[in-house]
Amino acid sequence: MRPTTVCLRSVWKGPFFVPLPAAPKDGSAVETMARASTILPSHVGRKFMVHNGKDFLPVLVSEQMVNHKLGEFAPTRKPFTFKKSDKKLR
Amino acid sequence: MFFLGVNIPDNKIVSIALTSIHGVGRQTGIRLCNQLLIHPQCRLKDLPEDKVTQLSTLLNGMTIETELKKQVADNIGKLVQIGAFKGLRHKAGLPANGGRTSTNAKTAKRMNRSRLSIDN
């Protein structure tokens, strides 16, 4: 069984990332719309606010998140909930 | 014949009998037989003892059975723990690779949640 290959970009090209602004001194979150940028090892421990189309969701980068993209941690759809309607059947 | 797992298909051809081990498929079975110079039509019950021990040592070196299931469960558990989208889909028991959910998601609804643990 092959492990799940998430990355589709060829290795020789290097990871795709967007030059993000330098970390603010007080450790507050940085707002970003670059969902496709790879999380680099230098980002570990920083807080980002990732756009999901409407709001900005907080993401605290941990060491295990390194080779994923920022957008994976900001879901774009509301989870489906089944609501029973109270209409009486005639 | 009892192998490392619980492989007991004696009457079958060796390369096919090996596929009953979780983690060994058609190609790996054929490759193992070629490596040990086992005749392609040889049945498992007709294998000499030294070939059986050689097979066991080869199989011990690969990740199969519970080791493999643990590896898969760990990979998925990592996705759940870091909060990635794929992890959320596994927790909800829905397709994790972009399949539609309005109709059809039978395999995912049946299997995706149980991939988190080894006993499935």
Side-chain angles (χ1 to χ4, degrees), chain B residues 14-51:
Chain B
V14 183
S15 53
I16 297 177
L18 288 174
T19 56
S20 6
I21 303 175
H22 179 80
V24 173
R26 277 286 182 106
Q27 292 293 333
T28 329
I30 294 174
R31 188 174 52 86
L32 286 173
C33 286
N34 290 343
Q35 212 171 343
L36 297 176
L37 306 176
I38 298 176
H39 193 276
Q41 294 299 315
C42 178
R43 305 265 161 181
L44 195 54
K45 59 182 179 190
D46 300 329
L47 262 190
E49 278 301 316
D50 57 336
K51 292 282 187 189

Short mmCIF file of all heavy atoms in Angstrom, two decimals, chain B residues 14-51:
data_model
loop_
_atom_site.label_atom_id
_atom_site.label_comp_id
_atom_site.label_asym_id
_atom_site.label_seq_id
_atom_site.Cartn_x
_atom_site.Cartn_y
_atom_site.Cartn_z
N VAL B 14 2.04 -20.67 -4.70
CA VAL B 14 2.71 -19.89 -3.65
C VAL B 14 2.45 -18.39 -3.77
O VAL B 14 2.08 -17.72 -2.82
CB VAL B 14 4.22 -20.17 -3.66
CG1 VAL B 14 4.87 -19.43 -2.54
CG2 VAL B 14 4.46 -21.65 -3.50
N SER B 15 2.65 -17.86 -5.01
CA SER B 15 2.54 -16.40 -5.15
C SER B 15 1.12 -15.93 -4.86
O SER B 15 0.93 -14.81 -4.40
CB SER B 15 2.96 -15.96 -6.55
OG SER B 15 2.25 -16.69 -7.52
N ILE B 16 0.12 -16.78 -5.10
CA ILE B 16 -1.26 -16.37 -4.84
C ILE B 16 -1.62 -16.59 -3.37
O ILE B 16 -2.37 -15.84 -2.77
CB ILE B 16 -2.21 -17.13 -5.78
CG1 ILE B 16 -1.89 -16.74 -7.22
CG2 ILE B 16 -3.65 -16.84 -5.46
CD1 ILE B 16 -2.69 -17.45 -8.23
N ALA B 17 -1.06 -17.68 -2.78
CA ALA B 17 -1.34 -17.92 -1.37
C ALA B 17 -0.80 -16.80 -0.50
O ALA B 17 -1.37 -16.46 0.53
CB ALA B 17 -0.71 -19.25 -0.95
N LEU B 18 0.33 -16.19 -0.94
CA LEU B 18 0.92 -15.12 -0.13
C LEU B 18 0.04 -13.88 -0.10
O LEU B 18 0.19 -13.04 0.77
CB LEU B 18 2.30 -14.74 -0.69
CG LEU B 18 3.40 -15.77 -0.45
CD1 LEU B 18 4.64 -15.34 -1.18
CD2 LEU B 18 3.68 -15.91 1.02
N THR B 19 -0.88 -13.74 -1.09
CA THR B 19 -1.70 -12.52 -1.10
C THR B 19 -2.71 -12.49 0.04
O THR B 19 -3.30 -11.45 0.30
CB THR B 19 -2.47 -12.40 -2.43
OG1 THR B 19 -3.24 -13.59 -2.60
CG2 THR B 19 -1.54 -12.23 -3.58
N SER B 20 -2.92 -13.63 0.73
CA SER B 20 -3.86 -13.58 1.85
C SER B 20 -3.26 -12.89 3.06
O SER B 20 -3.97 -12.63 4.03
CB SER B 20 -4.33 -14.97 2.27
OG SER B 20 -3.68 -15.94 1.59
N ILE B 21 -1.96 -12.56 2.99
CA ILE B 21 -1.35 -11.76 4.06
C ILE B 21 -1.70 -10.30 3.78
O ILE B 21 -1.56 -9.83 2.65
CB ILE B 21 0.18 -11.94 4.08
CG1 ILE B 21 0.53 -13.40 4.24
CG2 ILE B 21 0.80 -11.14 5.20
CD1 ILE B 21 2.00 -13.66 4.15
N HIS B 22 -2.13 -9.59 4.81
CA HIS B 22 -2.47 -8.17 4.66
C HIS B 22 -1.20 -7.38 4.41
O HIS B 22 -0.31 -7.33 5.24
CB HIS B 22 -3.15 -7.69 5.95
CG HIS B 22 -3.53 -6.26 5.92
ND1 HIS B 22 -4.67 -5.80 5.29
CD2 HIS B 22 -2.93 -5.16 6.41
CE1 HIS B 22 -4.75 -4.51 5.42
NE2 HIS B 22 -3.71 -4.08 6.10
N GLY B 23 -1.09 -6.76 3.22
CA GLY B 23 0.12 -6.02 2.91
C GLY B 23 0.88 -6.62 1.75
O GLY B 23 1.79 -5.99 1.22
N VAL B 24 0.51 -7.84 1.36
CA VAL B 24 1.16 -8.48 0.21
C VAL B 24 0.09 -8.68 -0.86
O VAL B 24 -0.94 -9.29 -0.59
CB VAL B 24 1.77 -9.84 0.61
CG1 VAL B 24 2.27 -10.58 -0.60
CG2 VAL B 24 2.88 -9.64 1.60
N GLY B 25 0.36 -8.14 -2.05
CA GLY B 25 -0.60 -8.28 -3.14
C GLY B 25 0.00 -9.13 -4.23
O GLY B 25 1.00 -9.81 -4.05
N ARG B 26 -0.63 -9.08 -5.43
CA ARG B 26 -0.17 -9.92 -6.53
C ARG B 26 1.28 -9.68 -6.88
O ARG B 26 2.09 -10.59 -6.97
CB ARG B 26 -1.01 -9.65 -7.78
CG ARG B 26 -2.31 -10.38 -7.84
CD ARG B 26 -2.10 -11.83 -8.14
NE ARG B 26 -3.34 -12.54 -8.26
CZ ARG B 26 -3.85 -12.95 -9.41
NH1 ARG B 26 -3.22 -12.69 -10.53
NH2 ARG B 26 -4.99 -13.59 -9.45
N GLN B 27 1.65 -8.40 -7.09
CA GLN B 27 3.00 -8.08 -7.56
C GLN B 27 4.05 -8.47 -6.53
O GLN B 27 5.10 -9.01 -6.87
CB GLN B 27 3.12 -6.58 -7.87
CG GLN B 27 2.31 -6.14 -9.06
CD GLN B 27 2.84 -6.72 -10.36
OE1 GLN B 27 4.02 -7.01 -10.49
NE2 GLN B 27 1.96 -6.88 -11.32
N THR B 28 3.77 -8.18 -5.24
CA THR B 28 4.76 -8.51 -4.21
C THR B 28 4.91 -10.01 -4.10
O THR B 28 6.02 -10.51 -3.90
CB THR B 28 4.33 -7.94 -2.85
OG1 THR B 28 3.61 -6.75 -3.06
CG2 THR B 28 5.52 -7.67 -1.99
N GLY B 29 3.79 -10.76 -4.23
CA GLY B 29 3.85 -12.22 -4.17
C GLY B 29 4.73 -12.78 -5.26
O GLY B 29 5.59 -13.64 -5.02
N ILE B 30 4.54 -12.27 -6.48
CA ILE B 30 5.33 -12.76 -7.61
C ILE B 30 6.80 -12.39 -7.42
O ILE B 30 7.71 -13.18 -7.68
CB ILE B 30 4.79 -12.17 -8.93
CG1 ILE B 30 3.38 -12.71 -9.19
CG2 ILE B 30 5.69 -12.53 -10.10
CD1 ILE B 30 2.72 -12.09 -10.38
N ARG B 31 7.04 -11.17 -6.91
CA ARG B 31 8.41 -10.72 -6.72
C ARG B 31 9.13 -11.59 -5.70
O ARG B 31 10.29 -11.97 -5.86
CB ARG B 31 8.43 -9.26 -6.28
CG ARG B 31 9.80 -8.66 -6.23
CD ARG B 31 9.74 -7.17 -5.92
NE ARG B 31 8.95 -6.87 -4.75
CZ ARG B 31 9.41 -6.87 -3.52
NH1 ARG B 31 10.66 -7.19 -3.29
NH2 ARG B 31 8.61 -6.58 -2.51
N LEU B 32 8.42 -11.94 -4.59
CA LEU B 32 9.03 -12.78 -3.55
C LEU B 32 9.38 -14.15 -4.11
O LEU B 32 10.46 -14.69 -3.84
CB LEU B 32 8.08 -12.91 -2.36
CG LEU B 32 7.94 -11.70 -1.45
CD1 LEU B 32 6.85 -11.96 -0.44
CD2 LEU B 32 9.23 -11.40 -0.75
N CYS B 33 8.46 -14.72 -4.90
CA CYS B 33 8.73 -16.06 -5.46
C CYS B 33 9.91 -16.03 -6.41
O CYS B 33 10.74 -16.92 -6.42
CB CYS B 33 7.48 -16.57 -6.18
SG CYS B 33 6.21 -17.07 -5.07
N ASN B 34 10.01 -14.98 -7.23
CA ASN B 34 11.13 -14.89 -8.16
C ASN B 34 12.44 -14.73 -7.43
O ASN B 34 13.48 -15.25 -7.84
CB ASN B 34 10.93 -13.71 -9.12
CG ASN B 34 9.80 -13.96 -10.08
OD1 ASN B 34 9.40 -15.10 -10.26
ND2 ASN B 34 9.30 -12.91 -10.69
N GLN B 35 12.39 -13.97 -6.32
CA GLN B 35 13.61 -13.72 -5.56
C GLN B 35 14.16 -15.02 -4.98
O GLN B 35 15.38 -15.21 -4.90
CB GLN B 35 13.28 -12.76 -4.42
CG GLN B 35 14.41 -11.83 -4.06
CD GLN B 35 13.91 -10.79 -3.08
OE1 GLN B 35 12.71 -10.58 -2.95
NE2 GLN B 35 14.81 -10.17 -2.39
N LEU B 36 13.26 -15.93 -4.56
CA LEU B 36 13.70 -17.18 -3.93
C LEU B 36 13.74 -18.33 -4.91
O LEU B 36 13.94 -19.47 -4.51
CB LEU B 36 12.74 -17.54 -2.79
CG LEU B 36 12.71 -16.53 -1.66
CD1 LEU B 36 11.67 -16.94 -0.64
CD2 LEU B 36 14.06 -16.42 -1.01
N LEU B 37 13.57 -18.05 -6.22
CA LEU B 37 13.64 -19.07 -7.27
C LEU B 37 12.65 -20.19 -7.03
O LEU B 37 12.97 -21.37 -7.10
CB LEU B 37 15.05 -19.64 -7.39
CG LEU B 37 16.17 -18.61 -7.61
CD1 LEU B 37 17.50 -19.29 -7.60
CD2 LEU B 37 15.96 -17.88 -8.92
N ILE B 38 11.41 -19.82 -6.68
CA ILE B 38 10.35 -20.82 -6.51
C ILE B 38 9.65 -20.97 -7.85
O ILE B 38 9.36 -19.98 -8.53
CB ILE B 38 9.34 -20.37 -5.43
CG1 ILE B 38 10.06 -20.24 -4.09
CG2 ILE B 38 8.22 -21.38 -5.29
CD1 ILE B 38 9.18 -19.71 -3.00
N HIS B 39 9.37 -22.20 -8.27
CA HIS B 39 8.72 -22.47 -9.54
C HIS B 39 7.34 -21.81 -9.56
O HIS B 39 6.61 -21.87 -8.58
CB HIS B 39 8.60 -23.98 -9.73
CG HIS B 39 8.23 -24.36 -11.12
ND1 HIS B 39 6.92 -24.36 -11.56
CD2 HIS B 39 8.99 -24.74 -12.18
CE1 HIS B 39 6.89 -24.73 -12.83
NE2 HIS B 39 8.13 -24.97 -13.23
N PRO B 40 6.96 -21.16 -10.68
CA PRO B 40 5.67 -20.44 -10.69
C PRO B 40 4.45 -21.31 -10.52
O PRO B 40 3.37 -20.80 -10.25
CB PRO B 40 5.67 -19.74 -12.06
CG PRO B 40 6.73 -20.39 -12.84
CD PRO B 40 7.72 -20.91 -11.89
N GLN B 41 4.57 -22.63 -10.69
CA GLN B 41 3.41 -23.49 -10.51
C GLN B 41 3.49 -24.30 -9.22
O GLN B 41 2.70 -25.20 -9.00
CB GLN B 41 3.30 -24.47 -11.70
CG GLN B 41 3.00 -23.80 -13.01
CD GLN B 41 1.68 -23.06 -12.95
OE1 GLN B 41 0.68 -23.59 -12.46
NE2 GLN B 41 1.65 -21.84 -13.43
N CYS B 42 4.45 -23.99 -8.38
CA CYS B 42 4.63 -24.76 -7.15
C CYS B 42 3.53 -24.41 -6.15
O CYS B 42 3.22 -23.24 -5.94
CB CYS B 42 6.00 -24.44 -6.56
SG CYS B 42 6.33 -25.28 -5.02
N ARG B 43 2.94 -25.46 -5.52
CA ARG B 43 1.89 -25.23 -4.51
C ARG B 43 2.55 -25.05 -3.15
O ARG B 43 3.67 -25.52 -2.92
CB ARG B 43 0.94 -26.42 -4.46
CG ARG B 43 0.33 -26.75 -5.79
CD ARG B 43 -1.00 -26.11 -5.97
NE ARG B 43 -1.39 -26.05 -7.38
CZ ARG B 43 -2.52 -25.52 -7.79
NH1 ARG B 43 -3.36 -25.00 -6.95
NH2 ARG B 43 -2.81 -25.49 -9.06
N LEU B 44 1.84 -24.39 -2.23
CA LEU B 44 2.43 -24.06 -0.94
C LEU B 44 2.77 -25.31 -0.13
O LEU B 44 3.75 -25.36 0.61
CB LEU B 44 1.47 -23.17 -0.16
CG LEU B 44 2.07 -22.43 1.04
CD1 LEU B 44 3.28 -21.64 0.65
CD2 LEU B 44 1.02 -21.52 1.64
N LYS B 45 1.95 -26.38 -0.28
CA LYS B 45 2.23 -27.58 0.50
C LYS B 45 3.45 -28.33 0.01
O LYS B 45 4.03 -29.14 0.72
CB LYS B 45 1.01 -28.51 0.47
CG LYS B 45 0.65 -28.92 -0.92
CD LYS B 45 -0.57 -29.79 -0.95
CE LYS B 45 -0.84 -30.10 -2.42
NZ LYS B 45 -2.07 -30.71 -2.69
N ASP B 46 3.90 -28.07 -1.26
CA ASP B 46 5.05 -28.78 -1.81
C ASP B 46 6.35 -28.05 -1.61
O ASP B 46 7.38 -28.46 -2.13
CB ASP B 46 4.86 -29.01 -3.31
CG ASP B 46 3.63 -29.83 -3.61
OD1 ASP B 46 3.29 -30.68 -2.76
OD2 ASP B 46 3.03 -29.61 -4.67
N LEU B 47 6.35 -26.92 -0.88
CA LEU B 47 7.58 -26.16 -0.70
C LEU B 47 8.50 -26.87 0.28
O LEU B 47 8.06 -27.30 1.34
CB LEU B 47 7.25 -24.77 -0.13
CG LEU B 47 7.17 -23.60 -1.08
CD1 LEU B 47 7.09 -22.33 -0.29
CD2 LEU B 47 8.36 -23.53 -2.01
N PRO B 48 9.81 -26.99 -0.05
CA PRO B 48 10.76 -27.55 0.92
C PRO B 48 10.95 -26.61 2.11
O PRO B 48 10.69 -25.41 2.03
CB PRO B 48 12.06 -27.69 0.12
CG PRO B 48 11.91 -26.79 -1.03
CD PRO B 48 10.47 -26.68 -1.34
N GLU B 49 11.43 -27.20 3.23
CA GLU B 49 11.50 -26.45 4.50
C GLU B 49 12.39 -25.23 4.43
O GLU B 49 12.09 -24.18 4.99
CB GLU B 49 12.01 -27.37 5.62
CG GLU B 49 10.94 -28.25 6.21
CD GLU B 49 9.80 -27.45 6.81
OE1 GLU B 49 10.07 -26.45 7.50
OE2 GLU B 49 8.64 -27.80 6.56
N ASP B 50 13.56 -25.36 3.72
CA ASP B 50 14.49 -24.22 3.72
C ASP B 50 13.88 -23.03 2.99
O ASP B 50 14.08 -21.87 3.36
CB ASP B 50 15.84 -24.63 3.11
CG ASP B 50 15.68 -25.18 1.71
OD1 ASP B 50 14.57 -25.67 1.38
OD2 ASP B 50 16.64 -25.10 0.93
N LYS B 51 13.07 -23.31 1.93
CA LYS B 51 12.42 -22.21 1.22
C LYS B 51 11.41 -21.53 2.12
O LYS B 51 11.23 -20.30 2.08
CB LYS B 51 11.67 -22.73 -0.02
CG LYS B 51 12.57 -23.25 -1.09
CD LYS B 51 13.20 -22.14 -1.89
CE LYS B 51 13.97 -22.72 -3.06
NZ LYS B 51 14.78 -21.74 -3.76
#
